[in-house]
Amino acid sequence: MNDPWVALEPGADPAERVRILRRAHETFTAAGTMPRPVRAVVADSWRRSARAGVGPDGTASVELTDGDLGAYRAEHPLAQVMPLFRELMGTFAADGEHLLAVCDAHSRLLWVEGHPATRRQAGRMNFVPGARWAESAVGTNAPGTAVAVDRPVQVFAAEHFIRRVQPWTCAAAPVHDPRTGRVLGAVDITGGDGLAHPHSLGFIQAVARAAESQLALLDSGRPATGAAELTALGRDEALLLAHGRKVRLSRRHSEILLLLARHPEGLTGDELLCALYEDESVTPVTLRAELARLRGVLGPGLLLSRPYRVALPVESDVDAVERRLRAGAVTAALSAYAGPLLPASQAPAVVRLRRRLSDGLRAALIAHGDPDLLADWAHTPWGEDDLSAWRALAAIRPTPTVRARLSALEAELGAP
């Protein structure tokens, strides 16, 4: 049992673990050297936190307040399973003087409930509803790290990157949309050293799985006559949910269905040809063959012709981002944006829509001026070379890491 890795496992002496971790944390934050006793999941998170420019003396910022928070929570999918979370965790949290917390896919806390004294104590570090606990904002913590790595995580004491959080222990697990598999957020239990046990992690993982099962049951109860749902952001092959059936579409079929969803009144064959193909030599026969194959994939009665159109309304994730941008809800728009629209598509109409959506979201983020939101964008695969975003981020958060990345990017692009 002298292996320092084993000594850091839940169940070891908490006081000794705290001493070892504090020394390791100070070594890393002072010199950038990773001591061996730090668990791999924590070491990776510390490195990500440092790259994002998080300092060990930082604090969480509150992004959603009052009416904005209430409206956002009311429409969030995890609102449907809050009664389940309270049933499974409420007594455990109250009796153990712990907190039940639920965050969204950007690690913004939506609900923080539990023992009143513990809530007051947590409020001093802004562990409150509406606060953003993403790794890129406050470093290593269970809800933020669970969302970042998409798996259950337990964070003990000085494994937290920010010092003011180090008296706490927390365990969190991501919750996924049962239809698409996307992360909706995470459920978390936060408290003292009593949570530093393998059972805490297993318990929160079981709660998350129960929530996913409940969401699947609720989804299966929806009437099959409603609108179809198209998921196309961040994917080369879109997913369509219609009449309770989920279909993965080919790239070309994804493009066709996206365009028809944008034009519920329908498109003629010539209009579809111009929208889909750069090569003017492509014939209507080629398009008709693709549409025939798509009709077979969708099943009878969904794809109509003269003009080509879908027989029921289609709601896409593109629509959700656009609606939130029009309403000025920049944080919510970024939360709904899972990546560029059908990124491998070269269809002219899709390329224009993809560029318009990303440009609009970037412009809104820059105008909004929130450094945490800009950092989230800049550290994504689609934002890592976004010169405008990095310049905006450097203007409001000129950390050495941000300035170095901006200088490197300007050099790479030959930008003045």
Side-chain angles (χ1 to χ4, degrees):
M1 297 296 290
N2 293 325
D3 183 351
W5 288 92
V6 176
L8 292 177
E9 288 301 312
D13 176 47
E16 178 62 20
R17 290 178 67 207
V18 169
R19 286 192 290 270
I20 293 173
L21 285 167
R22 281 181 178 160
R23 289 196 297 268
H25 182 270
E26 293 306 319
T27 299
F28 179 77
T29 54
T33 304
M34 186 64 67
R36 186 176 179 274
V38 180
R39 294 186 294 140
V41 65
V42 174
D44 291 341
S45 179
W46 282 5
R47 294 186 185 101
R48 288 193 300 271
S49 303
R51 287 197 298 269
V54 179
D57 296 311
T59 189
S61 60
V62 178
E63 290 187 353
L64 298 171
T65 58
D66 303 329
D68 288 339
L69 174 62
Y72 183 68
R73 287 197 303 200
E75 70 172 20
H76 197 278
L78 292 181
Q80 301 175 87
V81 290
M82 275 307 298
L84 176 69
F85 288 147
R86 293 178 180 122
E87 180 182 352
L88 295 177
M89 301 174 63
T91 302
F92 175 75
D95 291 349
E97 300 187 1
H98 306 317
L99 297 178
L100 153 66
V102 177
C103 72
D104 68 4
H106 280 267
S107 303
R108 286 185 300 266
L109 298 177
L110 302 183
W111 292 271
V112 178
E113 303 177 356
H115 193 274
T118 310
R119 287 185 64 183
R120 287 193 295 271
Q121 188 178 357
R124 300 187 190 109
M125 61 177 183
N126 269 359
F127 195 82
V128 295
R132 186 163 174 276
W133 279 74
E135 271 194 353
S136 60
V138 293
T140 307
N141 69 93
T145 301
V147 168
V149 300
D150 192 12
R151 64 185 179 91
V153 173
Q154 188 173 42
V155 180
F156 170 77
E159 290 181 331
H160 288 95
F161 195 79
I162 290 182
R163 292 190 181 96
R164 72 179 61 193
V165 190
Q166 292 180 350
W168 299 80
T169 291
C170 47
V175 181
H176 302 85
D177 185 318
R179 292 179 293 108
T180 66
R182 288 185 174 172
V183 174
L184 296 173
V187 58
D188 167 85
I189 188 78
T190 288
D193 291 347
L195 292 174
H197 192 282
H199 291 169
S200 301
L201 189 62
F203 170 59
I204 204 69
Q205 186 173 8
V207 170
R209 298 297 81 78
E212 291 171 351
S213 298
Q214 179 76 2
L215 288 170
L217 286 172
L218 292 170
D219 184 67
S220 67
R222 291 180 181 177
T225 56
E229 298 177 29
L230 185 69
T231 304
L233 292 176
R235 309 180 59 93
D236 291 329
E237 296 181 335
L239 288 177
L240 177 71
L241 178 69
H243 296 328
R245 177 171 166 257
K246 183 165 63 177
V247 179
R248 183 186 296 275
L249 304 170
S250 70
R251 292 187 182 184
R252 183 61 77 194
H253 291 169
S254 300
E255 295 165 345
I256 293 172
L257 204 59
L258 173 70
L259 296 176
L260 293 179
R262 303 286 294 181
H263 297 274
E265 75 284 359
L267 292 171
T268 67
D270 287 342
E271 288 171 330
L272 270 176
L273 273 175
C274 293
L276 289 169
Y277 299 101
E278 291 181 292
D279 186 354
E280 296 181 358
S281 66
V282 175
T283 66
V285 174
T286 300
L287 177 60
R288 284 198 294 270
E290 284 289 359
L291 288 163
R293 284 191 284 269
L294 177 57
R295 185 175 285 111
V297 169
L298 298 180
L302 275 183
L303 182 59
L304 307 178
S305 56
R306 297 181 182 177
Y308 294 109
R309 62 200 187 280
V310 185
L312 72 168
V314 179
E315 172 75 13
S316 74
D317 47 359
V318 176
D319 300 328
V321 174
E322 289 178 326
R323 275 198 308 272
R324 295 175 184 188
L325 284 177
R326 285 194 298 269
V330 180
T331 301
L334 182 60
S335 176
Y337 187 79
L341 172 64
L342 298 177
S345 173
Q346 295 301 314
V350 176
V351 170
R352 289 193 297 270
L353 179 57
R354 179 170 63 227
R355 185 180 300 120
R356 186 166 72 242
L357 189 66
S358 63
D359 288 353
L361 183 53
R362 179 197 303 108
L365 289 168
I366 292 173
H368 192 59
D370 186 310
D372 292 330
L373 294 183
L374 275 170
D376 272 352
W377 176 273
H379 287 94
T380 60
W382 52 87
E384 61 184 0
D385 295 327
D386 190 329
L387 184 59
S388 298
W390 279 101
R391 283 176 169 169
L393 180 59
I396 54 179
R397 182 179 279 171
T399 65
T401 302
V402 172
R403 289 199 303 267
R405 176 56 187 153
L406 176 59
S407 297
L409 189 56
E410 287 177 334
E412 291 171 16
L413 301 177

